[in-house]
Amino acid sequence: MRKSKREERNRLLQLVNVFLDAAVYNDISSLPLAAGVRATYNGKEVPVGQNEIWEQAIRFPARQTFVDHETQTACFFGTATNDALLDEMRYFYPKKKCPWANVREYNRSEMKWWYYFLRLKCDDGLIIEIEELTIPWGINNFWTQAKEYPMKNLQFDIPVPDDDQRERDEMIDIVETYWDALERKIEWRDVKCHPDCQRIEFNVQCTNCKRDYHSLRTSFLNPLFTWDIRDRKHPVVDTKLGVVVAVVQFVQKLPDSSPGFVAVEAFKVIDGGFREIMVYLKPMCLDSGWRTA
């Protein structure tokens, strides 16, 4: 019997809890995995739980989760780290290969922070797809660090008024104008963005600022913004919150430039346009690993 919309949302949210806790303790036994589950880490197929986050991270400080009951998908934006103040003789480092390790040994390890994105797709309560992306804290052209990332962007938690809620396809069409403008398929004036819209990459404001004084729409006039936007996916479309999460592949058209990257972007759609864009980029990742998904 199919569960209600509310029950499906709650189940997806709790599944993210289960997954993150399992990652902290590096124990996949608690995960409800389907027989044919497929997992990728930074675009490469890997066994479930075998990557540096599972091996090293002990907490996920910043957390923002979006779910879609129709696609049975959850997407998580946050940070991960192995940084903690551990009190010797009381708390231990609960990671595999180092069970109940001496705190002194842990304190000698290198401190690490990552921006972290997770996508889980389910089928009848079982996980069938796991996509994890990480971006180390030292990123060219960005002066903020993952440890400075805010807990969440509250814009995305505010429900859209009932009389402004739109159908899923219409929300996707609004977001698609953004990608089409990047590909020069439509004019920058036709991008359906709210006048208050800002593009926020890793907590750095990249529009209407000293670093880039252009508005979001006029930024498409930049001749360096010449991209093919391939493999467009919208795993989460939340009509109540007005949120669309997109995963796309940027492919550079210009010669002698960075070849491209995978981008995960959350759009807040309200009043007929998108008002905020929250962005994670995975530089030099030329394939998300899910082209055929």
Side-chain angles (χ1 to χ4, degrees), residues 51-238:
N51 60 58
E52 60 184 342
I53 294 297
W54 285 70
E55 293 172 356
Q56 300 179 47
I58 62 175
R59 61 188 177 100
F60 297 88
R63 295 168 173 244
Q64 189 142 21
T65 306
F66 306 108
V67 297
D68 187 330
H69 72 284
E70 291 200 18
T71 62
Q72 293 194 52
T73 301
C75 290
F76 173 88
F77 291 75
T79 57
T81 183
N82 64 354
D83 181 14
L85 293 174
L86 302 181
D87 186 357
E88 188 173 87
M89 306 302 295
R90 292 183 59 191
Y91 303 104
F92 302 92
Y93 176 52
K95 302 302 290 188
K96 190 177 179 181
K97 301 179 183 176
C98 196
W100 308 112
N102 185 295
V103 172
R104 292 176 181 172
E105 294 182 8
Y106 169 68
N107 285 342
R108 288 199 296 269
S109 65
E110 179 185 0
M111 184 178 69
K112 294 183 179 181
W113 282 79
W114 301 265
Y115 295 97
Y116 178 75
F117 172 77
L118 167 69
R119 179 181 64 84
L120 298 176
K121 183 172 177 58
C122 306
D123 182 16
D124 197 23
L126 299 179
I127 300 173
I128 61 175
E129 294 179 3
I130 302 170
E131 180 176 6
E132 294 176 276
L133 291 171
T134 59
I135 303 92
W137 67 346
I139 301 176
N140 292 335
N141 301 322
F142 290 94
W143 56 88
T144 60
Q145 296 182 349
K147 64 181 179 180
E148 300 167 351
Y149 196 78
M151 295 304 292
K152 59 168 48 186
N153 187 327
L154 296 179
Q155 288 270 7
F156 290 88
D157 284 348
I158 303 173
V160 175
D162 291 344
D163 60 356
D164 190 34
Q165 291 184 15
R166 298 169 187 274
E167 298 295 327
R168 297 170 60 90
D169 288 346
E170 184 179 2
M171 292 175 63
I172 292 174
D173 287 344
I174 289 171
V175 170
E176 284 288 300
T177 66
Y178 179 78
W179 310 125
D180 288 344
L182 280 170
E183 288 194 327
R184 303 293 196 267
K185 291 181 177 178
I186 64 174
E187 293 293 326
W188 62 271
R189 295 180 179 85
D190 296 327
V191 176
K192 294 182 179 180
C193 71
H194 192 282
D196 299 345
C197 185
Q198 305 285 13
R199 177 180 170 89
I200 311 296
E201 300 180 11
F202 303 116
N203 197 38
V204 176
Q205 184 174 322
C206 295
T207 49
N208 305 293
C209 62
K210 288 183 178 180
R211 184 173 182 268
D212 190 337
Y213 58 85
H214 292 91
S215 69
L216 185 129
R217 291 204 306 171
T218 58
S219 65
F220 293 110
L221 296 173
N222 186 336
L224 296 179
F225 287 0
T226 306
W227 300 94
D228 280 331
I229 310 299
R230 301 177 184 173
D231 198 26
R232 305 181 191 184
K233 297 184 178 66
H234 305 92
V236 168
V237 180
D238 189 325

